[in-house]
Amino acid sequence: MARKGLHVKVGELRSDIGVLKDLEITLGRIIEEPKPGEIGPTPFPSITDLRSWDLKLLKRYKPFYMPFCDVCCLCTFGKCDLTGDKRGACGLDMAGQQSRIVLLACCIGAATHIAHARHLVEHLIEKFGKEHPIDVGGVSVEVEAPVTRLVCGVRPRTLGDLEDVLDYLESQVTHLLSATHTGQEGSNIDFESKVFHAGMIDQVGMEVADIAQISAYNFPKADPDAPLVDIGLGVVDATKPVIMVIGHNVPPAVEIVDYLQENGLYGMVEVTGLCCTAIDVTRYNPKAKIVGPISWQLRYIRSGMPDVIVVDEQCIRADSLIEAQKIKAPLIAASPKNCLGLPDRTHDPAEEIVSDLVNGKTPGALILDPEKVGEVAVKTAILVAPRRKKFKAIPNVKGVIEGSKRCTGCQSCRRACPNDLPIPEAVAEAAKGNLDKLGALYAECIGCARCESACPQGLPLHSFIVKAAEKKLKEETYKIRAGRGAIQDIEIRNVGGPIVLGEIPGVIAFVGCANYPKGGEEIAEMAMEFANRRFIVLTSGCAAMSAALYKDEEGKSPYEIYPGAFDAGCIVNVGSCVSNPHIAGAAIKIASIFAKRNLYANYEE
Ligand code: SF4
Ligand code: SF4
Ligand code: SF4
């Protein structure tokens, strides 16, 4: 059933019995009856509605645990040793604890996307109104929200309709999280069933976020020819004031673009980004530039190019303020989820905040008003740029050589490095004046800086690597197709037959972050290999960026070589992380069209 609220406001009502002024009537929920036969068995499913199906799956695909930790420290009864057949003071065994931790992790993920969607929808409603229509592809996309339909059994038509879906999702996350309390769920299989539920609502939350922003910001709407945009450290024009946005929730970045355009400043300031905010701001304005995925954060900040750093939410380094201070760049925090200890300047006049940031009175400001972020970021960047003169935190060659001479060869950096890179050997060579070995580490370095934290000599090893690879860095100029959003119905119909007949071997999706040695390069290679074998290749988020970081002999990136239409041999960027449900949505639509499955509230089928 669709659950809707009705709110009626009347300025003045004249009738036979008198005059009523400022009349407001609110009806809690109206049950909107679906068409006969449309609704499936599980609208807005509770955490147990799909349990019997989950248990069937878990019986066939039994969970297997490789404990990443032998103890549980989650309550004051503990810590409890759970090795062997031991049980904790609450009676929980190792399998229960492992699945419980997985549920916790999934709740964090689901809550993050749902909270992201909530903030975004609230902001868009404030700007565009509750009645703003959901439109992700006009007549080309009849089913705008396949995941939401399938799970909740509703068809959201306006931004306001999405609030109902979010209410449901938030209640589910709370129930799931509560199951991880001490002395609640005791069965690992039931924990796993709840993990499935968390994954399901996570997809709905992401879909809500993306269809809201596509509709309101007019992002590419299921467009196979979405524009090609610049990506890579080398694409930044450092002769201009540079604003760097990091995170996942795009409104502050959109407001920066709007402020520049409305004030005739566009083209005078570089708008660059990292992570999903970067992907989404290029869906709004293809002239914005993407620097790279999450692992590019440190190297980009330390390069000194950004004059102002704006962080919103998710995947932002916890030390971003410290790193920003190293290059004397003011930082603006724009999300209540990531305040970074900064003073709340949301209600202060923009000019006052700009003055404090430019004069270094404060290293940063928390501004929880995207429009104000737009104005403050632009004005600050323009005023700060001539003062900073692109002050960088990366040493020059002499600094690398002299620093390397202080290395004692203790190997702590290598032990700390998740990729086991031979840093001590490279540093020893650098001490002799040869930076080649350091430079060679660049391709396998994920920019985590754990080596630096471990080094007893305090050497800025990641910066050494970046300096040694400077030439390669400047050559990082690639193209990525802006996230296209949904897949058109006609595209789904066209590939259905070939998929069934095996002419198209399958659909492959690259999602998430490639945080492993040569991760970026290998994503591009794998994507092209699958496309060459006629797979339909989809990408999103940081993986979409990684897939772009390659050039053939003609200097073309994969998105220039392979088409953006959902068909055999394509490489299609659907968008940021919250665009992932377009991938699941395509699969759902294939099942709906070709297996004639009901799409409403029918998750189990
Ligand atoms: S939750 Fe259970 S296993 Fe964990 S510390 Fe508390 S008593 Fe021990
Ligand atoms: S920054 Fe690079 S070299 Fe240092 S620990 Fe991380 S991956 Fe290893
Ligand atoms: S941790 Fe520092 S001192 Fe030790 S080997 Fe690495 S660079 Fe040298």
Side-chain angles (χ1 to χ4, degrees):
M1 65 191 161
R3 311 183 307 172
K4 278 185 152 292
L6 179 71
H7 186 80
V8 180
K9 203 172 172 183
V10 181
E12 191 174 299
L13 179 67
R14 289 175 186 277
S15 73
D16 294 345
I17 51 169
V19 179
L20 288 172
K21 284 197 170 170
D22 296 330
L23 175 71
E24 285 190 44
I25 303 169
T26 299
L27 299 180
R29 298 278 186 211
I30 295 175
I31 308 301
E32 201 182 71
E33 287 302 326
K35 288 183 199 135
E38 264 191 345
I39 201 78
T42 52
F44 293 101
S46 75
I47 57 174
T48 50
D49 281 351
L50 295 159
R51 180 171 178 261
S52 59
W53 170 242
D54 294 343
L55 298 190
K56 242 181 248 170
L57 286 176
L58 289 161
K59 202 169 168 194
R60 180 169 295 181
Y61 306 105
K62 289 194 173 34
F64 171 77
Y65 302 102
M66 289 177 66
F68 54 86
C69 180
D70 289 340
V71 294
C72 173
C73 317
L74 285 184
C75 89
T76 50
F77 250 171
K79 43 169 98 171
C80 299
D81 175 3
L82 299 175
T83 52
D85 291 332
K86 295 190 198 80
R87 287 182 183 269
C90 64
L92 198 68
D93 64 3
M94 182 60 99
Q97 172 64 0
Q98 294 306 306
S99 49
R100 178 189 184 198
I101 294 290
V102 172
L103 177 57
L104 257 178
C106 291
C107 283
I108 292 172
T112 304
H113 292 133
I114 293 163
H116 170 176
R118 174 63 83 180
H119 264 136
L120 190 56
V121 168
E122 272 175 3
H123 174 73
L124 296 176
I125 285 179
E126 206 181 305
K127 228 175 142 69
F128 300 95
K130 268 183 193 282
E131 297 308 317
H132 189 88
I134 299 297
D135 173 11
V136 300
V139 290
S140 305
V141 181
E142 202 268 326
V143 181
E144 299 91 353
V147 183
T148 305
R149 264 196 208 199
L150 191 68
V151 174
C152 303
V154 295
R155 175 183 186 173
R157 292 175 192 275
T158 63
L159 288 178
D161 289 347
L162 297 175
E163 289 185 305
D164 271 355
V165 179
L166 287 169
D167 288 348
Y168 159 71
L169 299 176
E170 285 161 353
S171 75
Q172 296 308 295
V173 173
T174 313
H175 289 309
L176 289 170
L177 200 50
S178 75
T180 65
H181 189 276
T182 301
Q184 293 264 48
E185 187 57 78
S187 151
N188 70 305
I189 293 297
D190 268 308
F191 270 126
E192 298 294 351
S193 163
K194 291 177 172 70
V195 166
F196 288 175
H197 196 74
M200 179 187 74
I201 60 166
D202 192 356
Q203 281 283 319
V204 181
M206 287 191 274
E207 184 174 81
V208 166
D210 209 40
I211 63 176
Q213 61 183 2
I214 291 171
S215 306
Y217 286 143
N218 208 16
F219 286 176
K221 294 184 172 174
D223 181 3
D225 299 313
L228 288 161
V229 299
D230 289 326
I231 178 169
L233 257 165
V235 303
V236 182
D237 182 353
T239 61
K240 297 178 185 172
V242 175
I243 298 173
M244 169 196 193
V245 292
I246 318 175
H248 281 66
N249 209 344
V250 79
V254 162
E255 296 294 344
I256 290 169
V257 170
D258 283 354
Y259 186 85
L260 287 168
Q261 276 171 340
E262 284 158 17
N263 291 278
L265 296 167
Y266 208 85
M268 288 169 62
V269 175
E270 285 277 271
V271 181
T272 64
L274 272 140
C275 233
C276 285
T277 293
I279 290 230
D280 283 340
V281 75
T282 59
R283 294 165 88 186
Y284 186 66
N285 185 315
K287 287 194 182 132
K289 293 172 178 175
I290 302 173
V291 168
I294 180 171
S295 41
W296 263 243
Q297 253 177 78
L298 271 190
R299 62 190 71 162
Y300 184 37
I301 296 178
R302 290 183 183 179
S303 74
M305 282 191 265
D307 292 299
V308 170
I309 298 170
V310 177
V311 298
D312 53 83
E313 61 172 278
Q314 299 166 52
C315 301
I316 297 151
R317 285 188 66 99
D319 57 359
S320 53
L321 182 60
I322 298 167
E323 290 293 330
Q325 282 175 278
K326 284 184 191 166
I327 60 160
K328 302 180 183 172
L331 182 142
I332 298 169
S335 165
K337 291 154 199 154
N338 183 22
C339 302
L340 292 171
L342 291 166
D344 186 353
R345 307 292 301 269
T346 308
H347 303 293
D348 291 352
E351 293 299 343
E352 218 173 84
I353 310 171
V354 172
S355 164
D356 288 352
L357 292 173
V358 173
N359 295 318
K361 221 169 159 187
T362 170
L366 174 66
I367 307 177
L368 302 175
D369 170 354
E371 255 176 69
K372 194 172 277 181
V373 170
E375 180 181 353
V376 172
V378 171
K379 287 182 171 167
T380 306
I382 291 171
L383 292 171
V384 150
R387 297 185 182 210
R388 285 190 58 250
K389 298 194 175 73
K390 303 295 174 193
F391 185 81
K392 56 173 87 159
I394 293 178
N396 58 21
V397 172
K398 191 166 169 244
V400 175
I401 295 170
E402 290 308 311
S404 297
K405 287 179 183 165
R406 292 198 283 122
C407 170
T408 59
C410 70
Q411 303 286 323
S412 298
C413 50
R414 182 163 192 171
R415 278 195 293 274
C417 176
N419 294 343
D420 189 30
L421 297 182
I423 310 161
E425 290 80 349
V427 173
E429 276 299 303
K432 293 182 217 158
N434 175 12
L435 270 53
D436 290 352
K437 280 197 174 173
L438 268 179
L441 300 181
Y442 181 78
E444 301 192 37
C445 170
I446 57 167
C448 66
R450 275 193 243 175
C451 49
E452 295 184 359
S453 290
C455 177
Q457 295 297 93
L459 298 179
L461 296 164
H462 179 55
S463 296
F464 283 8
I465 293 169
V466 173
K467 180 65 194 172
E470 199 172 30
K471 188 168 170 286
K472 185 174 183 331
L473 232 86
K474 285 185 181 151
E475 287 166 2
E476 274 183 8
T477 55
Y478 307 95
K479 293 279 184 192
I480 179 172
R481 199 172 291 287
R484 59 165 281 175
I487 309 301
Q488 295 180 14
D489 297 348
I490 184 75
E491 290 175 294
I492 305 264
R493 287 182 195 283
N494 287 346
V495 300
I499 287 178
V500 172
L501 295 171
E503 289 165 16
I504 296 176
V507 182
I508 297 280
F510 292 92
V511 302
C513 311
N515 286 335
Y516 53 87
K518 294 189 179 166
E521 232 171 80
E522 286 177 0
I523 293 278
E525 278 170 22
M526 286 190 284
M528 290 188 295
E529 185 61 37
F530 278 115
N532 290 340
R533 293 171 187 234
R534 292 182 53 77
F535 278 82
I536 295 172
V537 179
L538 301 167
T539 63
S540 72
C542 284
M545 300 184 202
S546 296
L549 306 181
Y550 167 91
K551 272 183 196 164
D552 68 4
E553 306 79 48
E554 292 172 32
K556 286 189 176 168
S557 302
Y559 292 101
E560 296 171 278
I561 304 167
Y562 298 87
F566 187 83
D567 203 348
C570 65
I571 298 185
V572 170
N573 173 18
V574 291
S576 57
C577 285
V578 292
S579 309
N580 280 337
H582 299 303
I583 300 171
I588 290 167
K589 287 183 193 178
I590 290 172
S592 159
I593 292 171
F594 294 98
K596 302 211 184 312
R597 298 293 91 181
N598 179 9
L599 260 190
Y600 280 91
N602 196 19
Y603 191 79
E604 182 174 320
E605 265 204 329

